[in-house]
Amino acid sequence: MFPRGTFLLLLLFLVHCIGIYLFTKGFLLSRLSLPDRNECGHDGCTSLATHKRAVLLVIDALRFDFISSHPPQPASPYHHNILTLPRELTAARPQHSFIFNAYADPPTITLQRIKGLTTGSLPTFVDVGESFGGSAINEDSLLHQFVAAGRKVAFAGDDTWMTVFPDILDHNMSFPFDSFNVEDLHTVDEGVIANLLPMVKNCSLSWDLAIGHGLGVDHAGHRVGPEHPVMKAKLQQMNGFLAELIEALDEDTLFILLGDHGMDRAGNHGGDSTLETMSAVWMYSKGPALSQGSMSFPSNLVPTTVFPGETVSHRSIQQIDLVPTISLLLGLPIPFNNLGSIIPEIFDRSANNAAIQRALELNANQIKKYLDAYRDSRSGGELDGFWPQLSESWKEIQAAPSPEESLAATIVATYSAYGLLGDEADNSEERLQSALSSAFKAGAAGLALGSVAYFPLENLLEGVYLHHVSLFGSALASTLTFTHLCRPTLRRKQLTSISIIPVLHALCFASNSFTVWEDRIVLFLIITSLVPAFLTGFTAPTARLRGRILGFSAVFAACVRLMAFVTVCREEQHPYCTVTFYALSASSAPPVLALIVAPLGAFSIPFLIRRVLGISKSENGLARIFFPWVLTSALLAGTGFWFLEWAHSTEFFGDDVNAWFRLIRTVLARTCVAAITFGGVSLWWMSPVCLQINTDDSQASSNKPEQKKQAAVLGFANAFGSPYLVFWTIFLSVVWLCTQLMGQIVLGLATIALLAHLEVIDSVRDVRGLSKAFASNNPSTALDLNVLGRELSFSEVVPLALLAVHTFHGTGHQSTIPSLQWKTAFIFTSTVSFPFSQVTAITNTLGPHFLMGLASPLVVLWNLPPVPTPGGLKTSSLRAGLAIMLYFTILLLGSATCAAVLRRHLMVWKIFAPRYMFAVISLLAIDLGVIVGIGIGVGRVRERIERIFKRIA
């Protein structure tokens, strides 16, 4: 059965991936970059040149208010009125110096902003996936134009530039430094200062564009947040560096200072909040004036904006407007794919406005050429309905086959398998085997038919390719075939057992406010899911069962309520939300409470697990060794890692001690994971049994040879659940290491809530079994273990699914990019190292979902005795996994449908699209947890337990 069960799970996982892929390809925008290069031709772009060379200094995450002359009130002593040189020179030389509040198009990730700053193009939502490793920029850019003109580009700083421009930057004048070591606040900045400043001073060097990219401000934001003395020290260092740099400039060199993006209150970025998208830009000319200031521009041409907390408006631009402006100032063609417009006041040089008119003409001609080339490309059909007016945005490609159908078919197929395995018929396993075989054949046929059907319909399916139709046909054919062969018999009992909670949860995604406040809604739903069990507790036939149901329900409710106090806040939730996951909303440091409670939790969780197992006397065998020694040590190591990280981030102990902190943390993390992964798994695999078997030889030693030995088995009542719980805690310890201190407290509460829920389920089943037995004509059947009600109900899995989402929020996450905890990518190394950085960041984000998917078989295995052999153990475990997969598939379908229907909504890319993406990765994490649990955990436990009791018998 387990090969068939695992095959079924893998089939559903594959169909999930196909449906996700097809919908994502049609829904998320993808940008077509044209390979054309722009040339001056007869346009005479050199006529507007004012400078021969330029210095471009990027201070990563330099938010506009960091250089503003009127910062928000009350001003911060750590990042306001510190980097003051730009505003001082602007006040002293207003025609030579300009400060702008530049809008950085999201996603506000450095790699995407570099692309925008050099090509003038706009990133798309899916570009954030390249954050840990991008490809070279081959489209026309400012740097390509420099090389085409025979000029040289020098560089010092963030090595991302070397990744995206490997053949453009002059290697004899390039000094790259590792960009992803967020714990190093000084190396990159000091490297920029040590190399860029001498290049500027040495006029004999043959560079025409010198680029510097410092990371200290950004890393300080990630490490300690903007409200910290470390941030003040970095801005003071940058202000001093700017003063030296300006002093060294000659009059033929244009200077541009900018932040590639801003940072939010906690020092993070990646999203589209106001603080993340408002970056600073300063342009300065030591020689010729940039503007005469003689012309008055209409407000729509020179818009202004007010930074949050300020009272004075400032000139605002789009960050990509720098591309055409800098190109013309240096006498270069505007890059072909540019979508930015010139900054008008920079070209205000004469009374007849000839320079402005010429700049606007060159800019308009470039965009017109781009539109003509785009319309002639394979994606040009997007412009057909808008070509006469050119007043609306480009339409996204609509795929003809509806990918939502694939996701919906997955839900039906999953429910069919869930219902089939719940049938009381003896041939359910045979029917499943036959259905899987037929589904595989139908999938192959659908793949072939889809391929054949594509060619006559090719002209009608714009933007749809052969593999799209083939995958769609294969997934649809296999799921429909499986659904038809496994269609469950709809009885009143099955219809009344359907839970309304997943439907309500999915419908929340139709509202932007409900999606924003999903963390509060999940708390309401998870408490509501307890009501049926709580009411059953009042009707329990014995006082012991009443006490267990009501008591453990109260424990579950208390844990989830305490978890709800740990929050990070979305931008849309302010001012009605208070950050408690961190010490301050503008800090990434843990609160004092976490420093106190997290170590206590690391000690307490193994102890509490053993106490719960002690109820069924199943804390023996492997549990006696594993929980007090292996699990406790692993949890303490995970907590110790984050204590050292906190001590390091305070910058209190100095660089030498911090280097030791980093080394100890690295060794601790690697040792912990290696020990628990190889040692813990090996120990569990060899003997996954939590039993103590005592035999009585006195009877056998008598003169009655027919007398057999008597055996007393401690842990008999929970023989399957306790070893599987050991298996689950192995993965808990890994997720614990990848979770920050406040999140570890939430993981501990979630573990207690899980155990309480399992005890509630077991007690409710006992109540139902006893009530059924007492109502029968033979009350003695109440003592028959096979008669007690053990049938799985979908409503028993619903709290587990909600607990996964609730734990996700409690561990410091929201369905937004800025809530990603990037510092978890540096657990095993001080810099980005594939695949370790990606694995730890993913584990931090999706660990709660994986753990609850892995825990789903416990709903069946908990307090299940091995003798007599429990009927339906194999199918019931599989049904539990299918139930939680079904819940999250419903959420995925709901988020995908709502995002598609509301694709013209103002908040589609801010709220609905991110929620869809998190629904995707959540379902994949749940799928993986279920596959590991059913394929490895349940099979091994069942094999060992059955072997032991066969030997005893």
Side-chain angles (χ1 to χ4, degrees):
M1 172 60 197
F2 276 106
R4 291 194 293 269
T6 305
F7 181 77
L8 171 62
L9 295 175
L10 291 174
L11 175 64
L12 291 173
F13 177 74
L14 179 61
V15 175
H16 287 164
C17 293
I18 292 174
I20 289 167
Y21 170 75
L22 292 177
F23 181 84
T24 302
K25 288 292 290 184
F27 176 70
L28 296 184
L29 296 172
S30 59
R31 186 177 65 86
L32 175 65
S33 59
L34 301 176
D36 306 62
R37 295 282 190 267
N38 200 10
E39 298 178 355
C40 279
H42 300 290
D43 294 336
C45 54
T46 57
S47 62
L48 298 174
T50 57
H51 296 78
K52 297 179 180 179
R53 303 197 297 183
V55 174
L56 176 65
L57 177 62
V58 181
I59 299 181
D60 210 288
L62 184 66
R63 204 168 65 196
F64 172 72
D65 60 317
F66 290 5
I67 68 170
S68 174
S69 56
H70 301 89
Q73 297 298 323
S76 169
Y78 302 112
H79 56 264
H80 292 149
N81 302 317
I82 298 171
L83 207 165
T84 58
L85 183 65
R87 74 187 194 193
E88 292 170 358
L89 288 178
T90 301
R93 309 186 69 189
Q95 295 180 342
H96 294 254
S97 179
F98 289 85
I99 294 178
F100 301 103
N101 184 343
Y103 179 81
D105 294 280
T108 47
I109 304 295
T110 296
L111 177 62
Q112 282 67 48
R113 295 317 316 137
I114 290 177
K115 289 183 178 181
L117 287 167
T118 54
T119 65
S121 60
L122 300 176
T124 61
F125 186 83
V126 293
D127 285 342
V128 72
E130 299 182 354
S131 299
F132 283 121
S135 55
I137 296 176
N138 295 316
E139 61 183 295
D140 197 9
S141 70
L142 188 62
L143 273 67
H144 285 88
Q145 291 294 343
F146 263 95
V147 174
R151 305 186 189 184
K152 294 185 178 180
V153 181
F155 170 75
D158 184 345
D159 61 356
T160 305
W161 289 81
M162 300 298 296
T163 302
V164 295
F165 295 109
D167 302 322
I168 298 296
L169 301 176
D170 191 308
H171 289 272
N172 293 324
M173 293 187 291
S174 295
F175 306 93
F177 297 89
D178 185 20
S179 61
F180 276 110
N181 186 357
V182 297
E183 296 171 358
D184 185 353
L185 307 181
H186 308 296
T187 299
V188 179
D189 286 354
E190 291 172 355
V192 172
I193 295 172
N195 293 284
L196 185 62
L197 192 58
M199 279 193 290
V200 175
K201 290 181 177 179
N202 189 354
C203 297
S204 62
L205 293 177
S206 58
W207 57 267
D208 298 282
L209 174 64
I211 301 173
H213 191 147
L215 295 171
V217 172
D218 177 71
H219 287 182
H222 285 300
R223 289 286 292 163
V224 296
E227 299 290 342
H228 196 280
V230 171
M231 181 63 76
K232 180 178 181 179
K234 292 308 301 181
L235 292 175
Q236 288 175 334
Q237 180 188 30
M238 291 296 100
N239 196 55
F241 174 48
L242 279 179
E244 293 186 69
L245 206 56
I246 295 300
E247 179 67 27
L249 289 177
D250 60 35
E251 295 189 353
D252 288 329
T253 302
L254 175 68
F255 180 76
I256 306 102
L257 168 72
L258 60 91
D260 55 342
H261 50 74
M263 65 172 67
D264 62 16
R265 290 179 177 85
N268 298 316
H269 57 88
D272 61 351
S273 69
T274 301
L275 297 182
E276 294 170 89
T277 56
M278 285 191 169
S279 63
V281 168
W282 176 44
M283 299 182 68
Y284 179 74
S285 171
K286 197 172 184 180
L290 294 174
S291 174
Q292 299 297 329
S294 59
M295 182 176 178
S296 177
F297 296 96
S299 59
N300 62 338
L301 199 59
V302 286
T304 60
T305 188
V306 179
F307 188 88
E310 296 187 2
T311 57
V312 178
S313 61
H314 295 273
R315 173 73 166 93
S316 63
I317 62 171
Q318 298 292 315
Q319 201 178 65
I320 59 174
D321 292 347
L322 288 171
V323 175
T325 303
I326 295 174
S327 297
L328 297 181
L329 290 177
L330 297 175
L332 296 172
I334 301 173
F336 188 84
N337 291 284
N338 166 71
L339 295 175
S341 59
I342 61 154
I343 303 174
E345 52 263 58
I346 299 298
F347 298 92
D348 180 14
R349 303 173 188 169
S350 60
N352 60 3
N353 305 324
I356 295 177
Q357 292 178 4
R358 183 57 178 159
L360 289 172
E361 180 183 348
L362 291 173
N363 195 182
N365 288 339
Q366 171 265 316
I367 293 180
K368 181 62 169 60
K369 285 194 293 184
Y370 170 73
L371 291 175
D372 289 336
Y374 195 95
R375 195 184 187 196
D376 293 336
S377 70
R378 59 181 173 85
S379 299
E382 301 172 15
L383 302 178
D384 288 345
F386 305 91
W387 193 251
Q389 298 83 20
L390 290 179
S391 59
E392 296 183 23
S393 301
W394 291 279
K395 297 176 62 180
E396 57 187 296
I397 297 176
Q398 300 289 325
S402 172
E404 293 96 325
E405 295 178 10
S406 179
L407 295 175
T410 306
I411 292 179
V412 177
T414 305
Y415 180 74
S416 298
Y418 173 82
L420 171 67
L421 296 173
D423 286 345
E424 296 178 0
D426 295 332
N427 64 342
S428 61
E429 294 185 19
E430 288 73 16
R431 286 182 61 193
L432 177 62
Q433 174 65 30
S434 175
L436 286 173
S437 177
S438 299
F440 178 78
K441 296 176 182 177
L447 185 71
L449 289 176
S451 302
V452 172
Y454 171 76
F455 294 102
L457 300 175
E458 182 177 3
N459 295 330
L460 301 177
L461 303 177
E462 183 179 352
V464 180
Y465 300 100
L466 175 62
H467 66 282
H468 295 156
V469 180
S470 301
L471 290 174
F472 180 80
S474 177
L476 193 62
S478 61
T479 51
L480 291 179
T481 301
F482 185 86
T483 300
H484 174 72
L485 295 177
C486 293
R487 61 189 184 279
T489 303
L490 294 179
R491 304 184 183 95
R492 180 180 178 183
K493 179 181 178 182
Q494 290 176 321
L495 292 176
T496 55
S497 65
I498 297 176
S499 176
I500 194 63
I501 289 181
V503 178
L504 294 176
H505 194 170
L507 288 176
C508 289
F509 304 139
S511 166
N512 57 342
S513 58
F514 278 18
T515 305
V516 166
W517 291 99
E518 184 185 7
D519 52 351
R520 308 294 173 85
I521 293 173
V522 167
L523 175 62
F524 170 77
L525 293 177
I526 197 171
I527 297 295
T528 302
S529 69
L530 287 179
V531 173
F534 193 77
L535 295 177
T536 302
F538 289 105
T539 62
T542 67
R544 179 178 178 275
L545 286 175
R546 283 196 299 272
R548 281 170 55 82
I549 294 175
L550 298 178
F552 281 112
S553 294
V555 171
F556 182 88
C559 287
V560 298
R561 195 68 188 87
L562 289 172
M563 292 165 63
F565 286 113
V566 182
T567 59
V568 292
C569 301
R570 297 175 61 118
E571 178 194 8
E572 302 88 350
Q573 292 178 333
H574 292 292
Y576 307 106
C577 177
T578 302
V579 175
T580 58
F581 188 82
Y582 300 111
L584 298 169
S585 60
S587 171
S588 60
V592 176
L593 177 66
L595 298 173
I596 299 173
V597 178
L600 298 178
F603 275 111
S604 303
I605 294 303
F607 171 77
L608 292 174
I609 292 176
R610 290 193 65 198
R611 287 296 301 269
V612 174
L613 292 177
I615 299 174
S616 56
K617 307 297 182 184
S618 54
E619 77 276 27
N620 299 293
L622 176 62
R624 190 179 296 277
I625 300 173
F626 184 85
F627 290 119
W629 299 106
V630 180
L631 181 60
T632 302
S633 300
L635 297 186
L636 285 175
T639 301
F641 174 91
W642 289 103
F643 256 89
L644 291 173
E645 194 278 337
W646 166 75
H648 186 175
S649 67
T650 61
E651 298 290 326
F652 177 78
F653 298 96
D655 293 340
D656 293 337
V657 176
N658 284 341
W660 279 103
F661 281 162
R662 176 67 258 187
L663 177 63
I664 296 172
R665 285 163 51 202
T666 302
V667 173
L668 186 64
R670 293 179 179 180
T671 303
C672 175
V673 171
I676 198 67
T677 301
F678 297 103
V681 171
S682 299
L683 180 64
W684 176 85
W685 186 265
M686 289 186 296
S687 181
V689 179
C690 301
L691 303 173
Q692 180 177 330
I693 304 175
N694 301 322
T695 58
D696 186 359
D697 296 333
S698 60
Q699 299 292 338
S701 61
S702 65
N703 295 328
K704 298 179 180 180
E706 70 280 2
Q707 186 72 42
K708 294 183 178 180
K709 292 183 180 181
Q710 292 185 353
V713 181
L714 298 180
F716 175 86
N718 198 16
F720 291 102
S722 53
Y724 190 88
L725 182 63
V726 174
F727 178 71
W728 183 83
T729 55
I730 292 174
F731 294 91
L732 171 66
S733 61
V734 176
V735 177
W736 187 282
L737 172 66
C738 297
T739 305
Q740 298 187 56
L741 291 176
M742 204 65 185
Q744 291 178 354
I745 298 174
V746 172
L747 279 179
L749 291 171
T751 302
I752 299 172
L754 171 64
L755 296 174
H757 178 58
L758 295 175
E759 291 292 335
V760 170
I761 291 174
D762 178 61
S763 300
V764 169
R765 287 172 179 166
D766 288 345
V767 169
R768 292 172 181 167
L770 290 171
S771 299
K772 183 178 179 180
F774 290 146
S776 68
N777 296 327
N778 186 11
S780 62
T781 57
L783 300 176
D784 189 346
L785 293 175
N786 279 329
V787 177
L788 288 177
R790 304 294 307 185
E791 184 179 352
L792 175 70
S793 170
F794 183 78
S795 60
E796 295 170 348
V797 182
V798 168
L800 202 64
L802 290 168
L803 188 60
V805 182
H806 194 51
T807 308
F808 168 79
H809 290 133
T811 49
H813 300 97
Q814 291 279 357
S815 298
T816 59
I817 296 175
S819 70
L820 296 175
Q821 298 169 22
W822 297 111
K823 65 169 60 178
T824 59
F826 309 98
I827 291 178
F828 294 131
T829 57
S830 59
T831 184
V832 170
S833 177
F834 180 84
F836 303 108
S837 298
Q838 289 81 354
V839 168
T840 52
I842 292 172
T843 302
N844 169 266
T845 305
L846 300 178
H849 293 88
F850 176 84
L851 287 176
M852 295 308 160
L854 187 69
S856 59
L858 279 172
V859 176
V860 173
L861 301 177
W862 195 252
N863 283 345
L864 182 66
V867 177
T869 302
L873 171 64
K874 299 179 291 184
T875 56
S876 294
S877 300
L878 184 57
R879 287 186 78 221
L882 290 172
I884 196 168
M885 291 171 65
L886 178 61
Y887 189 103
F888 280 90
T889 308
I890 293 173
L891 294 188
L892 175 58
L893 178 63
S895 62
T897 302
C898 294
V901 171
L902 301 172
R903 62 187 179 275
R904 302 299 180 191
H905 194 283
L906 181 64
M907 294 293 179
V908 61
W909 301 114
K910 189 177 184 66
I911 295 177
F912 299 110
R915 185 59 186 88
Y916 162 73
M917 296 304 297
F918 275 90
V920 166
I921 59 178
S922 298
L923 175 61
L924 297 180
I926 288 289
D927 287 353
L928 183 60
V930 172
I931 291 172
V932 171
I934 300 296
I936 300 176
V938 176
R940 183 60 178 170
V941 169
R942 176 176 173 271
E943 175 191 354
R944 293 291 295 176
I945 295 298
E946 289 185 352
R947 183 185 302 175
I948 288 175
F949 281 94
K950 284 181 180 178
R951 191 186 311 153
I952 294 176

